[in-house]
Amino acid sequence: MVATEIEPARATPLRERLAPRVPGSMLWGWLGPLLVTVFAGFLRFDRLGNPHSIVFDETYYAKDAYALLRFGYEHSARDDPKGIADKLFLADTPGQIWTDGGSFIAHPPVGKWMIAIGEAIFGTTPFGWRFAAAFFGTLSVLILCRLARRMTGSTLLGCAAGFLMALDGLHLVLSRTALLDIFLMFWVLCGFACLVNDRDHARRTLSAKLDGDPDRSFGLGPYVFHPWRIAAGVCFGLATGVKWSGATFLFAFVIMVFLWDMGARRAAEVQFPYAGALAKDGVATVLSLGVLPVITYVATWSGWLFTSGGWGRGKVSPTVLLRPFEGLPDLWRYHERMYEFHSSLSTKHPYQSWPWDWPVLRRPVAFFYQESTTGCGASKCSREILGIGTPAVWWAAIAALLVMVFLYLVYRDWRAGSILLAYAAGWIPWFWYAASDRTMFMFYALPLLPFMCLAIVMALGMIIGPVAQPAGRRIVGSAIAGAYLLLVLINFWYLYPVLAAKSIPYDSWHMRMWMDSWV
């Protein structure tokens, strides 16, 4: 998932054309991203158990995660207006909250299994159920650093991409709460990183095999093994196992990798590049990005398939090995019910928003809000967790994505094209649901964030300019890029109190509500 180094001793002209090596020091290629990751980890783990209460939809996912540990499936819990179940759960006595039978759930189990990792280690405490979100949120920063380095050829720009994500408010909030979207973003990012690695690996292999033949224009070209594509298939199966919206990225990326395969063979002057991509790479693509994600997804339901008691689970065979096959019809009916739920979900919510609101941050979600008369040195204090992106990142990303459109249309830059495709795959499908008035929230846009950061650092790279540019030009460009990163840091620092439930005077809190719709 994290890019590996390309360090050939002597690259051939074909190799340099198809898959040029990533320049720079291998030491700094890892040390720089690791330093950014440590910084991101500090922000995410500091005061992770604060507030010591169940925040927003943690009331569902933290309990479901513990039920998976105990039963293997989501179990029904007490649901009463006095919040007794929440109090028992916070008191680390979750055994008293269960009622009879399995619970119908709207999302697959992968994200809840990941939350359960922290609960298994640290118990049913706020730190315990938030641990996995903080860990995988931090790890996603490292992966993005390495991915951006590979795509831009610059360790500095790679670190800048991770720095932007580390300082994004929405990423921070979802890395500090037990919701599912941070895990969806993580697996989508991992899958995309695997595909970028696969692109380089396939081109290296292709150039090596063609260099061994005096005639590079023969037939369909050689067969290429795609190990990273297999890893990507597992990642996208897990992404879909967190939320079904992960599948939209997979569909888009299947098209993308075919275009990459076709482009590689055409650049290598294979006689029939399109047929070669279909014949020599197509089977691998279907197996790794078609069959394997489905197998992975079904496997994530193992706890439900192998046990009795889950919602909709029929009679369980005494023969353990037969249970998954016996349970598949029940699982299909379960999914029909889940689809019916999602397609008819139109309950009004005070914090709901629409896809066109997300890039401009019009309507964030208040995960937690509390007023008091102590703790901030003023007569009225406020504590909030506001699920909102850092404006300096999200608003700049709008302009950066337009730059990507220019790069792709004018220069056919594969990096710009893949960024735009990924962003579209995670954003445009929600417009379909908006037409049916489906309830949606801004944090659904989190999987777009890595691609927004990639777009921004690509634009910053253009501002800085290539190494061949005059020194004065690069100094000015670097100053502009540095000033922008400083602006992001200041913007994040200013918003941090309302992202991390810090107690501040009410007037200070209100100053940070830049739009009426943020309240």
Side-chain angles (χ1 to χ4, degrees):
M1 290 174 289
V2 178
T4 55
E5 294 290 344
I6 305 173
E7 294 292 344
R10 294 179 181 177
T12 65
L14 178 62
R15 163 63 191 276
E16 281 299 321
R17 185 154 51 88
L18 288 183
R21 70 182 185 89
V22 178
S25 163
M26 181 184 295
L27 173 64
W28 280 107
W30 279 103
L31 186 58
L34 285 171
L35 290 173
V36 175
T37 303
V38 170
F39 171 66
F42 172 78
L43 293 174
R44 280 146 185 78
F45 280 97
D46 180 49
R47 300 172 56 254
L48 183 60
N50 191 332
H52 191 81
S53 62
I54 290 177
V55 171
F56 195 54
D57 281 353
E58 285 185 340
T59 188
Y60 306 113
Y61 302 126
K63 295 170 190 172
D64 285 345
Y66 187 77
L68 289 173
L69 283 176
R70 181 164 180 176
F71 305 104
Y73 56 84
E74 292 88 348
H75 200 286
S76 296
R78 296 172 60 167
D79 184 14
D80 52 69
K82 295 183 180 180
I84 295 176
D86 284 0
K87 293 176 183 177
L88 289 170
F89 203 74
L90 273 169
D92 205 11
T93 54
Q96 301 178 33
I97 73 173
W98 310 118
T99 59
D100 294 333
S103 173
F104 171 79
I105 52 95
H107 297 294
V110 170
K112 286 161 282 186
W113 276 116
M114 295 174 77
I115 293 170
I117 295 171
E119 292 181 334
I121 301 172
F122 301 105
T124 56
T125 64
F127 184 90
W129 65 67
R130 294 170 190 159
F131 171 81
F135 177 81
F136 287 101
T138 300
L139 184 57
S140 68
V141 173
L142 175 61
I143 294 170
L144 182 62
C145 285
R146 294 286 295 173
L147 171 65
R149 178 180 182 270
R150 176 170 290 275
M151 293 180 69
T152 63
S154 167
T155 299
L156 184 63
L157 291 177
C159 291
F163 184 74
L164 291 174
M165 194 155 77
L167 295 178
D168 180 68
L170 187 61
H171 190 280
L172 178 81
V173 167
L174 289 170
S175 295
R176 293 172 57 87
T177 49
L179 271 68
L180 302 181
D181 300 83
I182 192 71
F183 306 115
L184 172 62
M185 183 279 303
F186 175 81
W187 289 117
V188 168
L189 174 60
C190 287
F192 182 76
C194 286
L195 291 179
V196 172
N197 268 5
D198 176 76
R199 182 183 186 274
D200 283 351
H201 173 269
R203 286 175 165 240
R204 290 198 305 269
T205 304
L206 185 65
S207 64
K209 289 189 174 183
L210 290 177
D211 276 328
D213 191 289
D215 182 7
R216 292 177 178 174
S217 302
F218 67 98
L220 303 177
Y223 171 79
V224 175
F225 180 54
H226 294 274
W228 283 103
R229 201 166 292 185
I230 296 172
V234 174
C235 290
F236 288 118
L238 293 171
T240 308
V242 177
K243 281 189 171 184
W244 284 355
S245 50
T248 63
F249 291 93
L250 175 59
F251 295 148
F253 292 155
V254 167
I255 298 172
M256 180 182 75
V257 297
F258 171 70
L259 294 176
W260 285 355
D261 292 339
M262 189 173 61
R265 291 176 184 270
R266 186 175 58 216
E269 300 177 359
V270 169
Q271 188 175 1
F272 303 109
Y274 306 151
L278 280 173
K280 298 300 182 98
D281 302 302
V283 174
T285 301
V286 170
L287 292 176
S288 58
L289 298 181
V291 177
L292 184 57
V294 174
I295 294 173
T296 302
Y297 177 81
V298 174
T300 65
W301 286 85
S302 295
W304 184 88
L305 287 167
F306 279 98
T307 59
S308 61
W311 189 94
R313 183 70 172 97
K315 184 179 179 181
V316 177
S317 171
T319 305
V320 175
L321 293 179
L322 293 179
R323 291 180 185 178
F325 304 99
E326 169 202 65
L328 288 178
D330 291 336
L331 186 61
W332 180 263
R333 286 188 287 272
Y334 199 150
H335 280 63
E336 289 179 331
R337 179 67 182 87
M338 290 169 65
Y339 177 77
E340 180 183 340
F341 171 85
H342 286 295
S343 59
S344 61
L345 181 61
S346 57
T347 305
K348 298 299 180 183
H349 193 283
Y351 291 110
Q352 71 182 64
S353 60
W354 304 109
W356 48 86
D357 294 327
W358 301 342
V360 295
L361 307 174
R362 194 192 70 83
R363 186 58 172 163
V365 177
F367 284 53
F368 170 85
Y369 182 80
Q370 184 182 72
E371 289 185 358
S372 67
T373 57
T374 60
C376 70
S379 59
K380 185 178 180 180
C381 306
S382 293
R383 296 175 67 209
E384 183 172 28
I385 299 175
L386 186 65
I388 188 169
T390 302
V393 174
W394 286 65
W395 294 345
I398 298 173
L401 288 165
L402 292 176
V403 173
M404 295 304 101
V405 172
F406 169 78
L407 283 179
Y408 183 71
L409 293 180
V410 176
Y411 297 103
R412 287 294 187 267
D413 190 311
W414 71 269
R415 301 167 301 174
S418 62
I419 291 169
L420 291 171
L421 180 65
Y423 189 91
W427 187 44
I428 291 177
W430 290 107
F431 284 79
W432 172 267
Y433 289 107
S436 60
D437 256 5
R438 189 197 189 279
T439 309
M440 290 177 280
F441 301 95
M442 191 195 143
F443 54 80
Y444 290 3
L446 184 70
L448 306 179
L449 179 63
F451 307 104
M452 293 159 52
C453 294
L454 288 172
I456 291 172
V457 297
M458 285 273 292
L460 291 179
M462 294 177 65
I463 292 172
I464 295 171
V467 177
Q469 290 287 333
R473 156 77 169 78
R474 285 176 55 80
I475 289 173
V476 172
S478 299
I480 294 172
Y484 168 71
L485 294 176
L486 179 61
L487 175 64
V488 171
L489 178 62
I490 294 171
N491 192 190
F492 173 82
W493 170 80
Y494 182 74
L495 289 176
Y496 180 75
V498 299
L499 301 172
K502 299 281 285 186
S503 183
I504 58 175
Y506 175 84
D507 290 342
S508 296
W509 168 84
H510 195 266
M511 286 174 59
R512 288 165 171 81
M513 300 299 107
W514 290 357
M515 303 182 192
D516 292 340
S517 58
W518 289 13
V519 179

